[in-house]
Every structure is written in structure tokens, then in C-alpha cells.
Amino acid sequence: MGGKILLANIDVPGIRGYDVYRSNGGYTSVEKALREMTQAQVTAEVNKSGLRGRGGAGFPTGLKWSFLDRKSDKPRYLVCNADESEPGTFKDRYLMHHLPHRLIEGLIISSFALGVKTCYIYIRGEFKYLVGILEKAIKEAHLHGFLGERILGTDFSLNIYVHPGAGAYICGEETALLESLEGKRGNPRIKPPFPAFKGLYGCPTVVNNVETLAAVGPIISMGGEAYAMIGKGKSTGTKLISACGNIKNPGVYEIEMGLPVEDFIYSPEYCGGIANDKYLKAVIPGGSSVPILPADLILSTAKGEKRLMTYESLADGDFESGTMLGSGGFIVYDEDACIVRNTWNLTRFYRHESCGQCSPCREGTGWMEKVLYRIEHRQGKMSDIDLLVRVAKNIEGNTICPLGDAAAWPVASAIRHFRVEFEEHVLHPAAMLEKERHLKLKY
Amino acid sequence: MLKVTIDNISIEVEEGTTILNAARMIGGKVVPPAMCYYSKLKGSGGKCRTCLVKVSHSSAKDPRPMGKLVASCSTPVQDGMVVQNLTSPEVIETRKGIVEFLLLNHPLDCPVCDQAGECDLQDLSFGFGMEETATEEERREFPMIDIGEKIKLHMNRCILCYRCVYTADQLTEKRLHGVLYRGDVSEIGTFIQHAVTNDFSGNMIDVCPVGALTDKTFRFKSRVWFLNPMNAHRDCPACSGKVTAWMFGNEIYRITGRKDRYGELEEFICNECRFEKKDINDWVIEGPRHIRRQSVISANHYEEMKKQSLIDPIAGTMESLT
Ligand SMILES: Cc1cc2nc3c(=O)[nH]c(=O)nc-3n(C[C@H](O)[C@H](O)[C@H](O)COP(=O)(O)O)c2cc1C
Ligand code: SF4
Ligand code: SF4
Ligand code: FES
């Protein structure tokens, strides 16, 4: 597989500091962009690279940038979404922790391309330890003339501020994030208008994920075309995958897009196979919001093709037999995992994190949680299973923001692929309980 | 002007008009129900999702249907747009699901609720033939509190439409209450037991679509359908002084703002008019107010009762009854 791009030099001692980062080729992309390129050329390179948003939706970054309202005479903002709170996703924090300057570098170039003078990093409240690391990196960049007034002697000036949230998953949704950044309650806004026209303080704003923005530096260094050569089809470049669950080597891996899922799970270079050499039961490949797939469908598509780590291949078969790459939070379950318990656990999360603004999500998440709690705790009825399907369907697509969908998909997909297990819980509650007790003793 | 077709009826509207407002211009059955949108409150809408409709043609330029149902109260019309409200089984099915969600944690204590008879949720659920929900789960419960000297908050009944929040934002100097917490435990509250005191705070009662906010000077005094709504006015230094006086004989039981056919206030009124002026001599009674409601109560000959019990031309002329 190709070399590392985002995580290049991560093993070099002291790479977190400016000096070591700089002597390993750091900030050369900023010099290249600011000295040799125009705003439009930078954007063109990002376009050519085929880079897609790494925050979950996979929206082409260059296209998103092109929507920014450039006619407005208001200030423009770039906001880096570092709220990373999706269960199973822990890639951004890894990147910021070890390579804070890679993010700062990307922010400078992106701000230059977008004509932005003020950039915010909205960071999850629980990542307090990262605030200091990022602020130190920002200070160092200031000191060496990469931030502040007239960067590298050009007309371009930029300041970056770190803003910690107060610990709400919903503030990762871009418009809730903007509300929160403005000091308000983090309720998602009703779109349109989109942030590209009316974002932060009503000004044109671009919101991008940490990993997306960190990729901009390497793209400028190597050129958009070279970046697009990496990967497969429309899934270009590399992707950080945070792997967890019942695997031998949990951790954050940078993979070239197009890697077969099977290799990712079993290769010693990555997950290293299932812990204790058990069988693979199911995978949630893109963070807790995307549909769960059973072993056979995650390894190959319904058509019998090898499933690859790309946006397209994982989505093959739509929701019938496919899922999504999402944010790259790869959660693996072995043969002993209880799907009902897991699904219940996920609904607890969404119930807790719903902002409560729109009725289907506010009421539906709580309802699903209560029903799943009953099924898991020996009080389920057969009709509850169809009830869950119905509630999930009534939420999906009918809410203000995608959190409603994110809460509905895991439930719908778990029942779609593991219905028998739900029925078992209803029919033989005592046996299921016994099985779990037995497992708990073992671990 | 933009042309939009809703349930096969076309109308031309100005740019920026929402689907809901276009439907209200047509009137009648094509108007989707709205539990959170309030035309006089900027920023309201988009939350309850009862107004979802299907857009089967996005515009003349782009004839594709929109992928999801959209909230008609916050979706602007495009030229050539074709919208389905009652003609779409999908919309009706989804709306039924939404009503179910709204009723999920609602206590359905209509028999002891002051709002009964003029409650948007009651009307809506009645319209769908849903007087109860499928749920056997426990409903969330909150203690009842006074959020102001004259206002009672019965949070169990709240559907979190945010109307009262926008009212306080837009009518008062400083909002003293808001939504606390998240998700299905979020609640309306005044943080740390503050009392809502502002002169116009009483309007929160009128904008509340359910019985969550009620008038303490009227609580349990009478069912609304036993009262005669009369247009009345007085010279008020603070507001327009145009109100509806709810009367029994010569006695004023309560004062509210004047509501239009969509349950929205025509004008906001001040607390003095609402809470303090309960003497008939405070008011010039103009005549009976025609209440056009598709409500549980109208189904029960509300209108007729009103006509029969009309008495006493106390002051001014009596308008015709229709
Ligand atoms: C409930 C919810 C939570 C989200 N959380 C995050 C997050 O923590 N980090 C993130 O980058 N994007 C998150 N997103 C996606 C953002 O709304 C937005 O699409 C993203 O930041 C855009 O960046 P990208 O184009 O670079 O992916 C979330 C979306 C939703 C609906
Ligand atoms: S879908 Fe859920 S999180 Fe999103 S706006 Fe509605 S209630 Fe809030
Ligand atoms: S108290 Fe009434 S007006 Fe306020 S949010 Fe609840 S239902 Fe809406
Ligand atoms: S009236 Fe449109 S969403 Fe509530």
C-alpha cells in the first residue's frame, strides 16, 4: 500500500513541535501556495484531487468551496469541525494530538484559497488536553510568520482561534456548531440558507472536518492530480480509519482507499484479525450512525464482489445490503456480541444527544430506547420488533438535521439483518440473559 | 410572481413566500396543519414537522421531485413548483406518525385541561382519529410550576414548539425563560426559578398551541365552550387594547388576544388588559367574535350554543352572526 500522507512522519520524535515538523518538510506547502499560486489555483488543485469531506457525508470539498458566496462584502469564515463525538470515531483527535501543525498548515492554505481572515477550530469540550496542544502550535506558527499579519510578506493575513464546545454530539452538526460558536444553544438551523451564504454571524462560511483540512497541505505539495491517483475511482487519497471492537489491534490507521475490507480486518498491518481468534459477526464501518452489516455482507457485496474501503463499494446495495464509509469509525463485533444489547446501547446515545428541537427525533429516539430496553431486559413482545421498524421509519427523513436518520439507521439495519436475534430475546429471555452472564464471567 | 400548485390548485405568489403561506392564500383543506410556525414570530417553524408536504416538482427549471418531504412552513416556493398535501398518501401517513410522536409523552389529560376546546393538538389528533397512542411506555413527568405571577407552566403538556421562546425574544426586552436540557428531557424553564415578569409575557399563553401555558386568573373557572367570545376594546396606553373578552352573562371570565382562523393572534396585547381588566366597565364590547375552528368543540355544536346564549347588547352595535 502507498506511503502515509496524513500521518507521514508521525513516528519522528518531537514532531508535535514546530522545529522538528518544519525540518521534516513542514510548511513548505504554505510557502508554495502563498508564493507561487493564486487563490483560484489552490482551489483548482483541491478540485482535481477529488478530496471528499471526511466528516461523514463525503461531499466533494472543492465543490463545497465553490458554493461560498464570494459576492458578499461581509467577512468570510472557515470553521474546522473538531467536535468528533461519533461513537467509534477517534481519528481527528489522534491527528491533532500528534501532528497539530499538519492541521494548522491545512487551515492556512484553505483560508488563503477561500479569502478568509479568521478561522475557528471548534473542538469537542472533552478534548481539553488538545486545546493546549493546538494553541501552542498556533503560537509557534505566529512566531515563525505563518500566521498573523502579512504572512510570508504577502497581502494575506490570518488568525486562528480554538473554541472548545461544552460536550454535545449535536454540536458536530455544522449549523448547530455555528450556533454554539455564536454562544447560543446548539440547535441545528433550518436549511436553507446554507452556511456558504449565511453561516457564522450570518456571514459566508465553510465548515470542514479536521481530516479534510489536514489533507489540503499534502495535496498542494504533491499536486491534486497525484493525490487523485491514490485510491480508487471517486474515492481518492487516503482515509484515516479508527478501528475498535473485538479486534487484535485497535487503533487509527491510514489506508489507501480501495483496500479490501477483508484485508483491513485480517491483515496484521491493520486490525490483525478478530481477538481471541473468534469469528467475525458484524461490522459498523463508518461510525455508529451507519447501518450495521453482518459478516458476509461486509466482506462482499450482495452481487458477490469484494467489498472495498471506498465510499462507493461500502454503499453498494444501498441500505438493503450496503452501508456507508461515514467518518471511518470501524467497529467490529465477534460471534459473542449481542446485537440487541448493542443496538439498545446506541439508541441510548442518540436519545441522550438529540437536541430535542423536532418532534420525530425528540420523541422517536426516546421511544426506541425504551422499547429496546424492554426487549433487552426480558420484557419484550413480538410486536415490539415491528414497532421499532415503524418508529425508525417515521423518524427517517422527517427531521431537521441528519441526527434523526443517524438514530434510525442503526435500529432499522440491526433488525433487517439480525431479526432472529431480536425474536430470540423475546421468546427466550431467560436463555439470553444466561448467555450474557456467562460471557461477562469470562471476560 | 411565482406560480405554485398545491393539491391541483394553482396560485401566484411573491418570491420568498413559503409553501404554507401560499396554501393559506388558497385556503381550505389544502392548508397543512402548523403546530410551531407562527407568522408573527420571526424564526418560528420547522420544528414540529406536522406541516410536512411532498414536492413532486421542484420548479419549472428542475422538474425532479424533492427527495424528502419538506416542512411547508420553512420551504420557499419556486416558480412552477408542484406540491401535494392531502393528495399524497405518503404525507398523510407521515403526518399521522408525527401526531403519534407529539402525543407520545403528552398526558392526554384533556378532561382537566383548560386548553380543551381550543387546543391545536386536540384538534389535530381528533382529525386523525387518534385519541390515544400506541405506547405503553411511561410518559415523562414534570412538576407544575408558576413561571410568572399570572402564568402557570404545565410542562407535561408542552410540545416544545418554541413559540413562547420566540414571543419572549421578540416582545420583551430580555427573555427570562427558555428551553433547558436536551432531547426528550428538555423542558421550558426559567433558569434558577426566575419569574417571568415582563408586561407582554401573557402573550405566551395565547401562542402556546397546547395547555402548557395557562392563565392563572382563569384556570378552572370555566370550560371555554360555555363562554361567549366577544370582540372588545379599550383605550390602552401600552397595546392596541383590542381583545377577545370571554363572557358568561355580564361577567368577563378571561381576556385573550384576537385569534385568526389559524389560531394566531392578530395583535399582541399587554398584561394589564389580559390579567387586570375583568370588569365589564373597563371595556367597550363590540359584539360576538366568530370563531372558526375545526375543533372537537365545533363538532359538538359549539357554534350553535354560542348563538343561543347570545344576550345583552351591552354596548355598541351587535354584528350579524355569520
Ligand atoms: C449529528 C451530527 C454530528 C456530526 N458530527 C461531526 C463531527 O463530530 N465532526 C465532523 O467533522 N463532522 C460532523 N458532522 C458532519 C458535519 O455536519 C459536516 O457535514 C462536516 O463537518 C463537513 O465537513 P466535511 O465536508 O469536511 O466532511 C456531524 C453531522 C451530524 C448530523
Ligand atoms: S433531528 Fe434531532 S438533533 Fe437534529 S434538529 Fe431534530 S431533534 Fe435536533
Ligand atoms: S410551553 Fe407552549 S408555547 Fe412554549 S414551547 Fe411548550 S407548547 Fe410551545
Ligand atoms: S409548522 Fe412547520 S414544522 Fe411546525
Side-chain angles (χ1 to χ4, degrees), chain B residues 6-23:
Chain B
I6 306 171
D7 282 356
N8 304 320
I9 305 174
S10 297
I11 188 171
E12 298 221 324
V13 296
E14 268 172 46
E15 199 166 335
T17 311
T18 59
I19 299 174
L20 180 71
N21 280 331

Side-chain angles (χ1 to χ4, degrees), chain B residues 24 27-28 259-264 266 289 292-294:
Chain B
R24 285 185 175 182
K259 291 189 181 178
D260 67 14
R261 75 176 72 185
Y262 300 113
E264 291 190 8
E266 286 168 1
R289 183 163 183 79
R292 262 174 279 189
R293 291 187 69 81
Q294 284 306 308

Side-chain angles (χ1 to χ4, degrees), chain B residues 14-207:
Chain B
E14 268 172 46
E15 199 166 335
T17 311
T18 59
I19 299 174
L20 180 71
N21 280 331
R24 285 185 175 182
M25 287 172 203
I26 298 172
K29 283 206 165 130
V30 305
V31 186
M35 297 291 289
C36 68
Y37 171 76
Y38 209 80
S39 65
K40 278 112 202 152
L41 297 172
K42 215 173 140 250
S44 65
K47 295 179 174 25
C48 70
R49 318 304 282 177
T50 50
C51 70
L52 290 176
V53 292
K54 190 181 171 77
V55 175
S56 40
H57 282 257
S58 297
S59 67
K61 269 188 241 136
D62 179 6
R64 286 174 304 174
M66 287 191 184
K68 296 175 181 176
L69 302 186
V70 299
S72 59
C73 66
S74 38
T75 309
V77 160
Q78 312 259 339
D79 193 32
M81 190 183 251
V82 179
V83 178
Q84 287 180 289
N85 178 29
L86 292 184
T87 49
S88 157
E90 186 190 349
V91 168
I92 294 172
E93 208 39 48
T94 306
R95 199 169 286 156
K96 219 170 156 174
I98 304 285
V99 176
E100 189 176 22
F101 284 136
L102 287 174
L103 292 178
L104 190 71
N105 274 298
H106 191 82
L108 286 164
D109 56 350
C110 314
V112 294
C113 177
D114 274 317
Q115 191 89 359
E118 51 179 17
C119 172
D120 292 342
L121 187 58
Q122 196 181 29
D123 298 351
L124 192 64
S125 49
F126 187 74
F128 277 98
M130 295 164 62
E131 287 85 34
E132 51 191 271
T133 39
T135 182
E136 55 187 84
E137 318 310 327
E138 277 183 19
R139 298 182 155 82
R140 59 165 180 254
E141 280 187 22
F142 302 88
M144 246 186 283
I145 55 167
D146 291 333
I147 66 166
E149 198 195 332
K150 301 276 163 57
I151 309 173
K152 189 70 134 187
L153 170 65
H154 203 320
M155 185 59 212
N156 289 356
R157 296 174 185 152
C158 171
I159 58 159
L160 286 162
C161 70
Y162 281 65
R163 279 182 185 175
C164 59
V165 178
Y166 289 109
T167 304
D169 259 343
Q170 288 163 36
L171 250 57
T172 68
E173 296 256 290
K174 196 164 170 230
R175 174 157 61 86
L176 295 166
H177 83 297
V179 178
L180 309 178
Y181 314 115
R182 273 200 305 255
D184 65 350
V185 297
S186 46
E187 56 176 288
I188 294 289
T190 56
F191 201 57
I192 328 200
Q193 301 280 309
H194 226 80
V196 175
T197 48
N198 187 280
D199 276 355
F200 278 79
S201 57
N203 290 296
M204 287 161 42
I205 300 166
D206 282 348
V207 302

